[in-house]
Amino acid sequence: MTNSDTNALLRSIPATDVLLNAPWAAEFSGRLGREQVKKIIAEALGEIRRELCGDVRVSLPVDELVVSRATSLLRLRASSTLKSVVNATGVVIHTNLGRAPLADEALAAVNAIAGTYSTLEYSPEQGGRGGRNEHVEWSLCRMTGAEAALVVNNNAAAVLLALSATASGREVIVSSGELVEIGDSFRIPEILSFSGAKMRAVGCTNSTRTQDYRDAITENTAVLLKVHPSNYRIEGFVKSTSREELAELASERGLIFMEDLGSGLLCPLGVAFANRERSVRECLEAGSGIVTFSGDKLLGGPQIGVIAGSKNLIDKMKKHQLLRALRADKMTLAAFDATLRLYLAGRQGEIPVIRMIETDKSALLEQARRLCRILKRGAAQRGAGDFAVSVVETEDAIGGGSFPTDMLPGFGVGIRSACFSAETLAAGLRTAPVPVIPAIREGCVILHVRTLLTGDEQLIASAFLKFFMPAKPALPAARA
């Protein structure tokens, strides 16, 4: 474009105040406030001016471009970026998608407590201050066999508090093969350092013996630490020291044996390979003095970290100044208490994570067939013959660092198109009002049914039809 063309386009951009008074801006003023809408419109106009000055060609008339850009930006700012999604990935405990969906009773408990005042730190019986930990400690002790228990905001915080209270300024002995990183921020060496403890790694990556721990103990040693390997496995020649051996050594030398279990398994799971994972109760019975674990992984509750074990050690942590910075809020405690009570009542099958893991293949096949029929029916109604929809076998994962090499056989629905790549199909599903998050395998979009919740099939159908099979224009009416 010539300079005169650019200047003409720039002059044709409406003023911010003119746009602010347009009918389409009124809706956003009610949701964001007039002043914020004005700033967002100005931001959109600034983007367009920079593009025009940079000789970027525009495909729309400037007035249409301005309205399109401003409304898109306003819609983005007016909606929360934290929203519900459909998890069709087949990963049950999906960290990026919020891990464990809560059971209905946990949701009801949160709803009942969130909008009111509560007994969070108040005892009606005593007419004075109470403790927030008391709302869940009894249930935790019954489910785990622990003498005492304490909750904080996640398992990283649980490990940090436990080490800070028991080993600050002293040594913690841990196997070199257990210096793991979980996600992109939780590293055992860094947590140890931050707690004030001094790490002493023993053994090799694939082999650590009891004698390695014994030889490393000094007068400054406080804790023998065992860490769950979480999302990785070493195969081949591997030797590790059992918790029973470490518990015996710790008792012999007057040390604390602490175990970071990661996922908080409270009861047996109905899948064949799960018997390799020890429950919290089994770890404590084997001699662990302290066990830390997450509430939102295998346990199936909200994000919370639990420290269970010896009463004298837990009491020390309850008095630690760090606890106040790590404590859980009232809604988390309400959800966690309700989840624990489902376990106590033997109703853990009502917890979504447990239900998904234990669903058998025959039920998944029927669910996949039903979803396939729904999508095929929608395609037929829209005359979209270029989509191939079929039931496919899948391999699902528990996720959350649990059983990383073990897969759950399942079923899903595969979608292929002669007009769209799998990446384009997946991107379209992800941009639905309720994003649908699928998997892609060998050029095919896969919708795993194991991780679908009630109502998700209809959301998938809506996203599928809206983004890939727009309604055909109506034919002209026949002449009389």
Side-chain angles (χ1 to χ4, degrees):
M1 288 188 296
T2 64
N3 288 339
S4 59
D5 291 335
T6 300
N7 290 335
L9 289 174
L10 290 171
R11 285 194 298 272
S12 68
I13 295 176
T16 301
D17 287 339
V18 172
L19 296 171
L20 185 60
N21 292 315
W24 52 263
E27 171 197 351
F28 296 105
S29 293
R31 296 161 65 184
L32 289 168
R34 185 176 173 85
E35 189 59 32
Q36 293 303 319
V37 170
K38 182 176 182 178
K39 290 178 180 179
I40 293 168
I41 291 173
E43 182 182 345
L45 296 184
E47 288 179 0
I48 294 171
R49 290 189 183 98
R50 286 190 295 274
E51 291 172 7
L52 293 175
C53 291
D55 206 26
V56 175
R57 294 188 176 276
V58 295
S59 57
L60 296 172
V62 170
D63 56 345
E64 293 182 27
L65 177 63
V66 165
V67 174
S68 174
R69 186 72 60 84
T71 53
S72 294
L73 196 55
L74 284 165
R75 275 194 294 269
L76 177 65
R77 299 287 184 254
S79 61
S80 172
T81 55
L82 183 61
K83 59 179 70 175
S84 298
V85 303
V86 174
N87 177 11
T89 67
V91 180
V92 177
I93 307 168
H94 199 303
T95 297
N96 300 130
L97 301 184
R99 290 188 180 168
L102 295 178
D104 289 342
E105 290 206 8
L107 292 173
V110 173
N111 187 59
I113 214 71
T116 68
Y117 294 105
S118 67
T119 57
L120 178 63
E121 291 187 355
Y122 182 81
S123 169
E125 294 79 14
Q126 298 177 9
R129 188 178 182 87
R132 65 176 65 200
N133 191 67
E134 295 170 3
H135 302 296
V136 294
E137 186 172 19
W138 181 86
S139 298
L140 278 169
C141 290
R142 294 303 175 277
M143 283 305 305
T144 65
E147 293 179 353
L150 178 64
V151 292
V152 288
N153 57 10
N154 62 22
N155 188 48
V159 175
L160 176 62
L161 176 60
L163 291 172
S164 298
T166 62
S168 182
R170 301 184 66 190
E171 290 181 345
V172 174
I173 300 177
V174 59
S175 168
S176 294
E178 296 174 358
L179 299 179
V180 298
E181 175 184 308
I182 302 171
D184 61 356
S185 59
F186 181 85
R187 289 184 169 187
I188 289 298
E190 293 177 3
I191 292 292
L192 276 162
S193 176
F194 193 66
S195 72
K198 299 176 182 178
M199 183 183 75
R200 189 175 178 88
V202 298
C204 301
T205 302
N206 65 319
S207 176
T208 305
R209 297 174 171 83
T210 306
Q211 193 62 40
D212 294 323
Y213 291 91
R214 186 181 299 276
D215 292 343
I217 294 173
T218 70
E219 292 182 355
N220 197 38
T221 302
V223 173
L224 302 183
L225 175 64
K226 187 174 183 63
V227 181
H228 192 284
S230 187
N231 50 7
Y232 91 105
R233 290 288 184 273
I234 300 174
E235 298 182 353
F237 174 65
V238 178
K239 170 65 178 176
S240 62
T241 305
S242 71
R243 57 181 55 85
E244 289 82 1
E245 292 171 307
L246 288 174
E248 183 178 352
L249 178 58
S251 177
E252 173 192 320
R253 302 298 293 269
L255 304 175
I256 297 167
F257 173 38
M258 171 179 164
E259 184 167 5
D260 173 18
L261 194 58
S263 293
L265 183 64
L266 292 187
C267 64
L269 291 174
V271 290
F273 55 77
N275 59 9
R276 295 199 306 272
E277 187 81 11
R278 292 289 168 260
S279 70
V280 179
R281 178 180 287 274
E282 289 173 320
C283 292
L284 289 170
E285 289 176 348
S288 300
I290 306 171
V291 177
T292 66
F293 56 95
S294 297
D296 58 345
K297 292 185 179 180
L298 288 177
L299 198 152
Q303 177 183 298
I304 205 168
V306 182
I307 310 168
S310 165
K311 185 177 186 304
N312 69 312
L313 294 176
I314 298 296
D315 285 346
K316 184 181 294 187
M317 296 172 208
K318 288 179 179 178
K319 298 174 184 176
H320 198 279
Q321 289 299 310
L322 190 57
L323 176 60
R324 186 173 182 85
L326 304 176
R327 63 188 183 179
D329 73 290
K330 63 181 180 181
M331 291 176 286
T332 302
L333 289 168
F336 194 48
D337 176 53
T339 304
L340 290 172
R341 291 181 184 279
L342 288 174
Y343 278 101
L344 288 170
R347 296 164 53 199
Q348 61 268 20
E350 298 175 29
I351 298 170
V353 161
I354 305 298
R355 184 177 67 245
M356 289 176 185
I357 291 172
E358 295 184 338
T359 302
D360 61 38
K361 281 190 70 176
S362 60
L364 294 172
L365 177 58
E366 179 55 37
Q367 189 177 1
R369 285 172 173 168
R370 183 172 63 247
L371 178 58
C372 187
R373 289 193 297 269
I374 291 172
L375 297 184
K376 281 186 173 181
R377 190 183 310 124
Q381 290 172 350
R382 297 291 180 93
D386 58 331
F387 284 88
V389 183
S390 61
V391 173
V392 296
E393 291 195 61
T394 63
E395 287 191 330
D396 304 328
I398 291 180
S402 305
F403 311 104
T405 60
D406 298 290
M407 305 304 291
L408 298 166
F411 287 94
V413 174
I415 306 173
R416 294 182 185 271
S417 171
C419 301
F420 299 101
S421 68
E423 289 72 19
T424 300
L425 284 169
L429 289 170
R430 292 195 305 268
T431 56
V434 178
V436 176
I437 317 298
I440 297 177
R441 186 180 74 200
E442 298 175 353
C444 181
V445 167
I446 308 293
L447 301 164
H448 295 246
V449 298
R450 183 184 298 276
T451 46
L452 299 186
L453 299 169
T454 302
D456 281 353
E457 293 176 3
Q458 287 67 38
L459 293 171
I460 290 172
S462 176
F464 182 57
L465 294 175
K466 180 175 181 180
F467 286 90
F468 306 125
M469 292 176 288
K472 295 181 179 180
L475 296 174
R479 292 178 181 241

